Amino acid sequence: MAVEIGPSPEMYLKSLFELTRGHAPVPISALAERLGHSVVSATEMVHRLERRGLVAHEPYRGARLTSDGATHARTLLRRHRLWERFLTDELNLPWESVHDLACQLEHAVGEEVTEALDRRLGIPATCPHGNPIPRSGPTPAASARTLADMKPGEHAELEAVHPESGPVLAYLAQHGLRPGAAFSLESIEPTDGLRVIGVSSTRVAFGPELAARLRVRPASGPGRGGGARGDERRA
Amino acid sequence: MAVEIGPSPEMYLKSLFELTRGHAPVPISALAERLGHSVVSATEMVHRLERRGLVAHEPYRGARLTSDGATHARTLLRRHRLWERFLTDELNLPWESVHDLACQLEHAVGEEVTEALDRRLGIPATCPHGNPIPRSGPTPAASARTLADMKPGEHAELEAVHPESGPVLAYLAQHGLRPGAAFSLESIEPTDGLRVIGVSSTRVAFGPELAARLRVRPASGPGRGGGARGDERRA
DNA sequence: ATGTAGTTTAAGGTCGACCTTAAACAAGGT
DNA sequence: ACCTTGTTTAAGGTCGACCTTAAACTACAT
């Protein structure tokens, strides 16, 4: 069991999982873009994964994880997020850089280490970027609402950065924005749909694509002022 | 700096380092055997590493690390042993299995993580198998004396398992023998040179090759009886 | 001085994971 | 019905990391 699989196929499974919205297949071009590969290469890989029974490919529509594939992807994501927690909580590495670091570590460990790590970390509920750590049992539904869905004047709190990536996290870190931060949407610029938000006396702008990657929830308290405040470790 | 290098070349550097005795070149056949590769493949790799300036190859004698190569190997060994400590000390994974696990992790992290890990672990002096963790500055000379050098009747204490490997550690674990354990050499069998030692009322036998991998030092105290006792974390 | 054991080179093979360019094809809007 | 856009297939390439078999060669001990 556990089906030997290399780092590269694993990245595909993970990306596929992350890019999946609802029940729709993910266009291969989207996959390719996320991984920085050519579309042809991505198609090749999808075929390889299909032969292994991990993804189902609907021609001209996209690829979807089979349940085997989804299981595998979930454990990968689990490892990834646990490592992220380890790197921030135990090694005190910067919030915005642990994503890329964890991308290496996730392929280097099996179940043994993963579970031990989970216990060691106190069975955390989310990664440092606000995403839930998959465990046995259904994953708690993440809020579907993002910054892109908000209307000017609304107040909210950053819940998570969903498809994570180095550059995105760097941008957020640069402006002191972290899960838990309260903010308000000040305006949506007519040109390019730029979202300008106010976070503790600063203004930060986000393009529509980035905005769609910022999951939000109604501001919890009157917001204890904070910009760069932490993230919750429990659900 | 840091010269991009993959897991496989890294394993070669590490093995080369571990197999080096004094100043002599390591025969490629020995390298190949340690890695479980064919001699031809090992030769190929040595060439690749030579082109990169990491090893020097003396035809028909063997390969030696250049100073660049040695530096690289040392940092690899450093990562490896730090991960071993992490896995045993923090995750409570079994002593005999952390070697193989660390073999994966060592290729998945850079300097940032390594140094943070080191600090986090309290700058440990040795790995769980008794080998010193390389740091800047000269590595403390490991005792050159092994079980293979002992005479019947002698008492000693296990200091380290030097070239480590899964099966060797498994054998030791099976017999409750760990660094720090005191024992006496009871006999050397004339056939096959088997070393039979007494450890806390048990007898365990070692072939000559294994014996040469067990570094020993004079028993420290009257040995608080112990078989399966720990290992020191400080020099 | 010679022979054997250990080393090296040569030649050819496989597999995975990428790339490019170019052609064939399907979906969906006008 | 057509045309554009996005998708897939085909063809050929590269590179790294392994493999085998077979021939050439060296070191060293007898």
Side-chain angles (χ1 to χ4, degrees):
Chain A
M1 52 208 73
V3 211
E4 275 316 320
I5 198 181
S8 199
E10 285 186 344
M11 286 305 287
Y12 274 83
L13 292 182
K14 224 185 50 173
S15 303
L16 212 38
F17 190 90
E18 289 172 336
L19 294 176
T20 298
R21 293 274 167 279
H23 205 258
V26 176
I28 292 190
S29 48
L31 244 191
E33 191 187 344
R34 171 129 237 262
L35 291 162
H37 292 169
S38 77
V39 177
V40 176
S41 296
T43 309
E44 259 181 357
M45 181 62 87
V46 166
H47 287 335
R48 275 195 280 269
L49 293 172
E50 200 171 26
R51 269 178 251 127
R52 300 207 201 187
L54 296 168
V55 319
H57 181 211
E58 301 176 32
Y60 296 97
R61 312 217 89 82
R64 201 201 313 279
L65 289 166
T66 63
S67 63
D68 266 22
T71 300
H72 205 118
R74 251 188 303 269
T75 88
L76 249 2
L77 229 36
R78 174 168 163 72
R79 287 177 201 173
H80 179 91
R81 292 178 180 161
L82 285 170
W83 278 122
E84 285 186 336
R85 272 251 91 93
F86 169 74
L87 293 171
T88 51
D89 296 357
E90 308 277 322
L91 298 193
N92 298 306
L93 292 172
W95 180 81
E96 68 274 18
S97 62
V98 298
H99 171 71
D100 291 334
L101 297 172
C103 265
Q104 302 302 121
L105 287 166
E106 71 195 6
H107 309 295
V109 291
E111 198 175 329
E112 237 189 320
V113 175
T114 306
E115 302 314 313
L117 186 60
D118 192 21
R119 284 192 296 274
R120 173 63 227 262
L121 294 171
I123 318 203
T126 70
C127 85
H129 312 108
N131 297 114
I133 293 172
R135 3 194 107 265
S136 42
T139 305
S143 73
R145 198 167 161 72
T146 72
L147 171 55
D149 304 318
M150 287 174 63
K151 295 199 186 61
E154 271 192 271
H155 287 253
E157 177 176 303
L158 183 57
E159 177 178 319
V161 184
H162 182 53
E164 303 175 14
S165 75
V168 167
L169 296 171
Y171 185 74
L172 293 176
Q174 206 178 354
H175 296 93
L177 202 64
R178 297 245 235 133
F183 66 90
S184 61
L185 177 53
E186 305 210 335
S187 65
I188 301 182
E189 299 301 322
T191 43
D192 295 326
L194 272 204
R195 267 70 176 176
V196 178
I197 71 173
V199 185
S200 60
S201 77
T202 333
R203 238 168 294 278
V204 193
F206 298 94
E209 199 194 309
L210 212 180
R213 290 168 74 164
L214 301 182
R215 299 195 159 161
V216 299
R217 71 160 95 84
S220 56
R224 51 181 169 347
R229 261 300 299 136
D231 44 278
E232 9 64 90
R233 306 205 17 173
R234 298 262 167 195
Chain B
M1 53 209 74
V3 210
E4 276 315 320
I5 198 180
S8 199
E10 286 187 343
M11 286 305 287
Y12 274 83
L13 292 182
K14 224 186 51 173
S15 303
L16 213 37
F17 190 90
E18 288 172 335
L19 294 176
T20 297
R21 292 276 167 277
H23 205 258
V26 176
I28 293 189
S29 48
L31 244 192
E33 191 187 345
R34 173 130 236 262
L35 291 161
H37 292 169
S38 78
V39 177
V40 176
S41 296
T43 309
E44 259 181 358
M45 181 61 88
V46 165
H47 287 336
R48 274 195 280 268
L49 294 172
E50 199 172 25
R51 269 178 249 127
R52 300 208 201 186
L54 296 169
V55 319
H57 181 209
E58 300 176 32
Y60 297 99
R61 313 217 88 86
R64 202 200 313 277
L65 290 166
T66 63
S67 63
D68 266 22
T71 300
H72 205 118
R74 251 186 303 268
T75 87
L76 249 3
L77 230 34
R78 174 170 164 72
R79 287 177 202 173
H80 178 91
R81 292 179 180 161
L82 285 170
W83 278 121
E84 286 186 335
R85 273 252 90 94
F86 169 74
L87 294 170
T88 52
D89 296 358
E90 307 277 322
L91 297 194
N92 298 306
L93 292 172
W95 181 81
E96 68 274 18
S97 61
V98 297
H99 171 71
D100 291 335
L101 297 172
C103 264
Q104 303 302 122
L105 287 166
E106 72 195 6
H107 309 294
V109 290
E111 197 175 331
E112 238 189 320
V113 175
T114 306
E115 301 313 314
L117 187 60
D118 193 21
R119 283 192 297 274
R120 174 61 229 260
L121 294 172
I123 317 203
T126 69
C127 84
H129 313 109
N131 297 115
I133 294 173
R135 4 194 107 267
S136 43
T139 305
S143 74
R145 198 166 161 73
T146 72
L147 171 54
D149 304 317
M150 288 174 63
K151 295 201 186 61
E154 271 191 89
H155 287 253
E157 177 176 304
L158 183 58
E159 177 177 319
V161 184
H162 183 53
E164 303 174 15
S165 76
V168 167
L169 296 172
Y171 185 73
L172 293 176
Q174 207 178 354
H175 297 93
L177 202 64
R178 297 245 235 133
F183 65 90
S184 61
L185 177 53
E186 304 210 335
S187 65
I188 303 182
E189 300 301 319
T191 42
D192 295 326
L194 274 204
R195 267 69 176 177
V196 178
I197 71 172
V199 185
S200 61
S201 76
T202 334
R203 239 168 294 279
V204 193
F206 298 95
E209 198 195 310
L210 211 179
R213 290 167 74 163
L214 301 182
R215 299 196 160 162
V216 300
R217 70 160 97 84
S220 56
R224 50 186 169 345
R229 262 298 300 133
D231 43 279
E232 8 65 85
R233 306 206 17 173
R234 298 263 167 196

